[in-house]
Amino acid sequence: MASTVVVARILSPAEFGVATLVLAVATIMGAFIGLPFEESLSQRRQVRSAHLETALFVSMVLTGAAVLLSLLLGPLIEHWAAAPGFALYLVVSALLLAGQGPGAVARAVARRSRRFVEISFCQAAGTVIASLVAVLAALAGWGVWSLLLQRLLPNVLYPLLAAGFLWHRGQAMRTLVRWHPQRFRELFRFSWLSLADVGVGSAVPAVLAFMVNAVFGSATLGQLNIALRIVDPLRMALMGVGHNLAFSVLVRLQLDPPRLVRTAGEIVAGVAMVAVPAFVGLAMVAPVLLPLLVGPGWDQAVPLSQILCLAVALSLPFQFYDSAYSALGRPEYGLIGGIFALACMVAGFAITVGAGGRNAPAIAFLVYELATIAAVLFFALRLGRGNVAPASGRIGRVWLAALAMGAAIAALCFRNGVPEPSVPTLAVIILAGAAAYPIALLVTCRPCAQDFISLLRNRKS
């Protein structure tokens, strides 16, 4: 967020738009390189060194394929999307994906050992370093390159930091890059489904980015990029940490799907108590926060970010049902839901554009998130034998408390319109929400408030 504050004051919305197109394609390629093997290695009951060697081998082959594909398709996409420099940006981005495979293996090993602090430390350190490099690159006039380094450099840094961590502990892991057909077949059943699931999920921002660029242009796409950068840090923090923790609990319930779904529902309700008010509050402060952070010229990003915040507030808790399906070894549920949601997003965008809606990008994103909720609840009902009502009911009461918090903020801070952006104003809004939400939660869902307080008091459990 801090690096975005600096970079947004240097670069133009059009440069953010070009970077969004490049990163959308690079994200798809990166998903195919590492993520499926991370999940496959994490959920297996037994992992041998040959499994790790095979995952590294395949990821290196896929990285080479990504570079070759970039050389072939980059110029075509550059011409079609009218994005100068896209071809070169894409080739360099593909080269930076070389760390995806080693990073995925390192995270899988750490997850199996429940070393979540080490995962978080390495990811945080990589992000900080990449952010500093991005700011220096923007100040040096590197433009789009700074945005690409900000997002992709952590892929290279994570495995290096993880190796340094192990070396410091005296547990250096030396894994060769070798091909083992038998081990690949053992990983493949889960991996190819997870690969398709992750591929569809990664295609969503790419499809949205190219639709927005085609209809509204790269400047509007840059506005959407900034809106997402307000939402993504909190969403990625909650999902990155939360998925690892939830997976470690749920993977032990593989043989009892109904109990697994019930436990996932408890996690979903618990996440909602934190995520819903956080994103509703972020939507409320966006008219003050965005101008304060990124300066003038980004007015269109404010309504986009508010819709995105509300969409993530709705969907993020329910995404932990996908963690349950992954722990169960059934990524096809996520794949089916992802295809359904992607189709709904495209339809929502087309309908909104046809109706003349300027906020079509954010509305399409909202439709996508609502469709994912419908899909995960459908499969949860099938696996859990109907045991999703208690969690959904608690989430509904959490939403009542969050909306009451929003109403209190509006009455106290926005009764005369949007106040002048300033740090004191932002602090007052945040304090008002922080005071209003617990009171509202005690009224709408006293057990939720009591459980949350108990969790804070007994963190070990």
Side-chain angles (χ1 to χ4, degrees):
M1 181 69 73
S3 61
T4 297
V5 169
V6 178
V7 173
R9 295 174 183 271
I10 300 172
L11 306 184
S12 67
E15 288 175 304
F16 271 86
V18 172
T20 302
L21 293 176
V22 176
L23 290 171
V25 178
T27 298
I28 297 176
M29 295 190 297
F32 279 79
I33 291 171
L35 289 177
F37 294 104
E38 179 182 340
E39 293 298 319
S40 183
L41 291 169
S42 298
Q43 65 92 35
R44 284 189 62 82
R45 287 193 173 88
Q46 186 179 40
V47 170
R48 304 176 187 273
S49 59
H51 288 113
L52 306 181
E53 294 171 355
T54 302
L56 285 174
F57 179 88
V58 175
S59 69
M60 291 298 103
V61 171
L62 291 173
T63 300
V67 174
L68 179 60
L69 199 62
S70 300
L71 290 169
L72 296 174
L73 296 182
L76 298 176
I77 298 175
E78 178 177 333
H79 174 74
W80 175 67
F86 180 93
L88 180 59
Y89 295 143
L90 187 62
V91 172
V92 176
S93 298
L95 290 171
L96 290 173
L97 294 175
Q100 285 279 80
V105 170
R107 276 190 297 272
V109 172
R111 285 170 63 181
R112 294 182 67 86
S113 304
R114 300 175 64 83
R115 297 191 180 279
F116 302 120
V117 173
E118 294 181 8
I119 294 175
S120 299
F121 174 83
C122 293
Q123 291 183 164
T127 301
V128 169
I129 295 170
S131 297
L132 292 172
V133 171
V135 169
L136 293 174
L139 292 171
W142 288 17
V144 175
W145 292 111
S146 64
L147 298 173
L148 300 181
L149 289 171
Q150 183 187 42
R151 185 65 65 87
L152 297 175
L153 193 56
N155 293 330
V156 179
L157 293 173
Y158 181 85
L160 299 176
L161 292 166
F165 217 111
L166 287 173
W167 177 81
H168 178 71
R169 293 169 58 92
Q171 297 176 335
M173 183 177 68
R174 295 176 179 85
T175 304
L176 301 175
V177 180
R178 292 195 294 193
W179 169 250
H180 300 274
Q182 177 61 31
R183 300 310 176 202
F184 177 74
R185 286 191 291 270
E186 293 171 359
L187 295 173
F188 187 68
R189 191 266 162 194
F190 184 95
S191 290
W192 83 266
L193 287 169
S194 180
L195 180 65
D197 180 21
V198 172
V200 170
S202 301
V204 169
V207 171
L208 182 60
F210 279 95
M211 288 193 304
V212 173
N213 186 71
V215 176
F216 297 102
S218 59
T220 298
L221 183 58
Q223 298 278 354
L224 178 63
N225 187 309
I226 282 293
L228 283 168
R229 283 168 181 260
I230 299 300
V231 178
D232 274 345
L234 182 57
R235 177 174 63 169
M236 293 170 66
L238 290 172
M239 282 304 302
V241 176
H243 172 68
N244 287 336
L245 295 175
F247 187 93
S248 68
V249 173
L250 296 171
V251 74
R252 304 174 185 178
L253 305 176
Q254 286 178 322
L255 302 180
D256 190 353
R259 186 182 171 199
L260 181 143
V261 170
R262 286 196 302 273
T263 304
E266 294 171 5
I267 293 172
V268 166
V271 170
M273 285 191 293
V274 178
V276 171
F279 285 103
V280 170
L282 197 56
M284 293 297 300
V285 304
V288 175
L289 179 64
L290 261 170
L292 191 63
L293 289 179
V294 298
W298 301 96
D299 297 338
Q300 191 181 347
V302 173
L304 292 175
S305 67
Q306 290 180 305
I307 298 173
L308 295 178
C309 286
L310 294 176
V312 174
L314 284 166
S315 69
L316 188 143
F318 289 98
Q319 290 179 20
F320 284 86
Y321 278 119
D322 281 328
S323 299
Y325 306 148
S326 181
L328 190 62
R330 303 301 297 269
E332 58 266 35
Y333 294 156
L335 172 61
I336 295 169
I339 294 172
F340 169 70
L342 177 59
C344 290
M345 184 191 74
V346 173
F349 183 85
I351 292 171
T352 309
V353 169
R358 291 185 59 190
N359 293 321
I363 292 173
F365 186 89
L366 175 60
V367 171
Y368 171 81
E369 299 293 353
L370 291 173
T372 60
I373 294 174
V376 298
L377 286 179
F378 173 78
F379 291 118
L381 284 169
R382 291 189 58 190
L383 287 171
R385 300 170 187 171
N387 290 319
V388 298
S392 299
R394 295 185 75 173
I395 292 174
R397 289 187 282 175
V398 167
W399 262 98
L400 288 175
L403 293 175
M405 176 196 73
I409 292 174
L412 291 171
C413 306
F414 291 87
R415 62 183 181 274
N416 296 320
V418 178
E420 189 69 22
S422 66
V423 174
T425 300
L426 184 64
V428 169
I429 297 173
I430 293 172
L431 289 174
Y437 176 68
I439 297 172
L441 190 62
L442 283 171
V443 174
T444 64
C445 187
R446 185 175 292 270
C448 299
Q450 292 172 341
D451 289 349
F452 187 57
I453 293 170
S454 298
L455 176 66
L456 293 177
R457 287 178 176 175
N458 187 17
R459 292 184 299 167
K460 184 177 179 181
S461 65

